[in-house]
């Protein structure tokens, strides 16, 4: 039988199933997810849903009846234990064998665990799944002492949610500024000031020595410099690790994720990968890239589905991510890394938290970000994708519309 199987229960899984049906796959279609929930979208878990602004139903990719109406067999609360490329089967935890003609691995990623004494105490919390978001929501209350370990996107978004709920919040950062490695000094200072203005205490260049507890429950964080911070809960946001075990044991090429080409094909025939777990070749950037953001899980499924159906489709969309913290909304697109740019050009005043900025290498835009400026992400994407030599003074001039800069 022409059975297509998707392993994973997130946005990439749900959207690939949708795209497969849209593009004509009429055979059996199976989604295997290890959570009890049907495929859902993760950004609200640290944003609107965590803040109580979005209802639970809003996080799901499709309503219940969509899967029934489209003949998608949902195997939830079910773990895929092994993939056998020769037999073309996925083995489940209970020993059942699910045959496949084409397979998509959308296994996502898992939070890195804190590896210090006391890390297994109760109320040491992570954020990746619905239940974890709901647990955080229950501990974010007025007067609660919340310590956040990590000053990346998840750390800062949870810190903002806790502060908006009235908690006392301390963020522990291993570097000098939050998001320094991701955004560079100029833009990182904007987020440091944002949280300071909202009463969050960010401690720079600190190291956690241990977590302390009473009766099995965390009550504080001890730092390497000897300080002890009282805590009713500790939120850990120190990065994520791609879930590659299935792929690795099946003999697929794995290197910082499951390696794919621009068509999201892995090193083994008829197996594809998409979302957080895919280290995909990006033809525009000329390199493999694994992107841990919602946009890839949203956009890659169209290419994955077409590729699974034998069509000639390429994923070449520039990385994109966004964040909402307090009254700041930000969108970012493009790609650069530390040392990959030589200056940041600002259009607007960073201190006012309403601006657009561009990471430049010579005269070329590598990436761009808008903060509280809306409906500009498409021209920013076009500038970053163009590879054109551009005048920094024109990029900085608010009187020149962004969509008029390119010829």
């Amino acid at each position: 039988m022409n059975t297509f199987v998707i392993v994973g229960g997130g946005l990439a899984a749900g959207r690939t199933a949708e795209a497969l049906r849209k593009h004509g796959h009429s055979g059996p279609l199976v989604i295997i997810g290890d959570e009890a929930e049907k495929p859902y979208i993760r950004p609200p878990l640290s944003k609107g849903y965590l803040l109580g602004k979005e209802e639970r139903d809003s996080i799901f990719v499709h309503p219940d009846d969509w899967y029934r109406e489209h003949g998608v067999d949902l195997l939830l609360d079910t773990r895929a234990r092994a993939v056998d490329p020769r037999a073309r089967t996925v083995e489940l935890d209970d020993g059942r064998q699910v045959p496949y003609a084409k397979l998509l691995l959308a296994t996502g990623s898992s939070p890195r665990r804190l590896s210090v004494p006391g890390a297994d105490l109760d109320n040491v919390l992570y954020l990746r799944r619905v239940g974890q978001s709901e647990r955080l929501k229950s501990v974010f209350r007025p007067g609660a002492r919340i310590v956040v370990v990590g000053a990346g996107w998840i750390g800062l978004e949870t810190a903002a949610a806790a502060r908006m709920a009235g908690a006392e919040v301390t963020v522990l950062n291993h570097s000098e500024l939050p998001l320094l490695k991701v955004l560079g000094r100029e833009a990182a200072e904007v987020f440091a000031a944002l949280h300071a203005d909202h009463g969050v205490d960010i401690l720079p260049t600190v190291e956690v020595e241990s977590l302390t507890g009473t009766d099995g429950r965390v009550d504080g964080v001890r730092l390497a410099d000897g300080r002890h911070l009282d805590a009713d809960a500790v939120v850990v946001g120190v990065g994520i690790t791609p879930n590659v075990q299935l792929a690795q044991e099946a003999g697929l090429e794995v290197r910082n994720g499951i390696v794919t080409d621009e068509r999201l094909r892995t090193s083994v025939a008829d197996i594809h990968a998409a979302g957080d777990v895919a280290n995909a070749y990006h033809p525009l950037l000329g390199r493999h890239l694994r992107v841990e953001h919602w946009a890839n899980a949203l956009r890659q499924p169209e290419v994955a589905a077409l590729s699974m159906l034998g069509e000639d489709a390429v994923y070449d969309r520039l990385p994109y991510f966004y964040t909402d913290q307090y009254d700041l909304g930000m969108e970012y697109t493009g790609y650069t890394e530390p040392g990959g740019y030589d200056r940041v050009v600002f259009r607007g005043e960073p201190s006012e938290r309403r601006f657009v900025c561009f990471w430049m290498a010579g005269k070329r835009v590598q990436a761009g970000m808008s903060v509280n400026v809306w409906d500009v992400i498409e021209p920013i994407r076009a500038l970053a994708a163009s590879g054109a030599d551009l005048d920094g003074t024109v990029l900085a001039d608010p009187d020149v519309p962004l969509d008029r800069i390119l010829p």
Side-chain angles (χ1 to χ4, degrees):
M1 294 182 74
N2 191 28
T3 303
F4 282 24
V5 174
I6 299 167
V7 178
L11 176 59
R15 289 285 296 216
T16 302
E18 180 183 338
L20 283 168
R21 288 302 191 221
K22 180 179 78 173
H23 292 294
H25 176 63
S26 57
L29 181 52
V30 181
I31 293 178
I32 303 167
D34 64 1
E35 296 186 59
E37 309 289 350
K38 60 184 180 288
Y40 62 87
I41 307 164
R42 297 189 194 276
L45 305 189
S46 63
K47 300 179 176 73
Y49 185 58
L50 181 58
L51 291 166
K53 295 178 178 179
E54 296 179 29
E55 296 299 321
R56 200 174 196 275
D57 282 351
S58 71
I59 70 172
F60 296 107
V61 181
H62 301 112
D64 286 340
D65 55 6
W66 185 91
Y67 298 94
R68 185 176 61 255
E69 290 169 1
H70 290 82
V72 179
D73 189 7
L74 279 180
L75 302 183
L76 302 180
D77 212 7
T78 302
R79 195 174 76 88
R81 184 163 61 192
V83 171
D84 185 338
R86 285 189 175 182
R88 292 174 173 264
T89 58
V90 178
E91 182 183 348
L92 307 182
D93 240 0
D94 59 11
R96 281 181 293 166
Q97 304 282 337
V98 180
Y100 70 83
K102 297 290 176 72
L103 173 65
L104 176 78
L105 297 177
T107 47
S109 50
S110 299
R112 289 199 187 104
R113 313 298 288 186
L114 203 58
S115 57
V116 299
D120 56 352
L121 289 164
D122 188 34
N123 260 19
V124 177
L125 306 174
Y126 295 81
L127 179 56
R128 187 67 185 169
R129 300 189 169 205
V130 179
Q132 293 171 326
S133 179
E134 291 166 348
R135 180 82 185 274
L136 288 175
K137 199 184 301 189
S138 72
V139 302
F140 290 173
R141 58 186 185 276
R145 298 164 301 180
I146 306 296
V147 175
V148 179
V149 181
W153 297 115
I154 290 294
L156 294 187
E157 288 178 359
T158 53
R163 193 72 192 101
M164 290 170 74
E168 299 172 13
V169 182
T170 302
V171 174
L172 308 181
N173 188 17
H174 64 84
S175 62
E176 182 188 350
L177 290 166
L179 302 170
L180 183 60
K181 186 177 178 182
V182 180
L183 298 179
R185 176 172 300 278
E186 298 93 335
E189 286 173 345
V190 172
F191 286 89
L194 171 72
H195 283 268
D197 288 353
H198 283 86
V200 173
D201 190 11
I202 299 181
L203 303 186
T205 57
V206 294
E207 185 180 336
V208 175
E209 183 178 276
S210 63
L211 305 184
T212 60
T214 305
D215 298 327
R217 187 185 184 94
V218 73
D219 64 16
V221 179
R222 189 170 304 284
L223 303 179
D225 61 15
R227 282 181 289 175
H228 183 268
L229 310 173
D230 293 333
D232 297 307
V234 173
V235 181
V236 181
V238 291
I240 60 177
T241 303
N243 296 326
V244 298
Q245 185 178 352
L246 265 183
Q248 206 156 26
E249 292 176 353
L252 279 65
E253 184 183 355
V254 169
R255 187 177 70 250
N256 181 32
I258 302 172
V259 176
T260 79
D261 63 10
E262 64 272 27
R263 292 172 172 79
L264 304 179
R265 300 176 300 193
T266 72
S267 59
V268 173
D270 298 323
I271 301 181
H272 298 68
D276 282 6
V277 78
N279 186 9
Y281 182 77
H282 197 292
L284 237 130
L285 300 172
R287 55 161 294 166
H288 280 83
L289 194 64
R290 188 174 67 81
V291 179
E292 300 172 350
H293 293 290
W294 157 89
N296 267 27
L298 178 73
R299 305 285 186 183
Q300 281 185 342
E302 183 80 5
V303 172
L306 288 168
S307 187
M308 292 169 80
L309 291 166
E311 302 291 334
D312 189 16
V314 168
Y315 190 75
D316 59 1
R317 195 174 179 87
L318 287 176
Y320 165 91
F321 60 90
Y322 74 102
T323 190
D324 296 311
Q325 299 172 35
Y326 311 108
D327 54 354
L328 181 148
M330 180 276 277
E331 293 182 279
Y332 174 108
T333 189
Y335 178 76
T336 187
E337 49 189 10
Y341 63 97
D342 47 45
R343 71 192 190 285
V344 181
V345 172
F346 284 87
R347 168 182 288 234
E349 179 49 56
S351 64
E352 296 175 4
R353 296 181 197 135
R354 182 179 170 81
F355 63 89
V356 173
C357 66
F358 302 94
W359 284 261
M360 306 290 294
K363 293 185 175 183
R364 296 187 175 184
V365 172
Q366 305 291 299
M369 178 173 82
S370 63
V371 171
N372 288 339
V373 178
W374 304 109
D375 300 323
V376 295
I377 202 65
E378 289 306 326
I380 291 173
R381 180 179 285 113
L383 291 168
S386 71
D389 286 351
L390 300 169
D391 185 341
T393 58
V394 174
L395 288 169
D397 187 350
D399 292 330
V400 180
L402 288 172
D403 58 4
R404 301 284 179 86
I405 291 176
L406 287 174

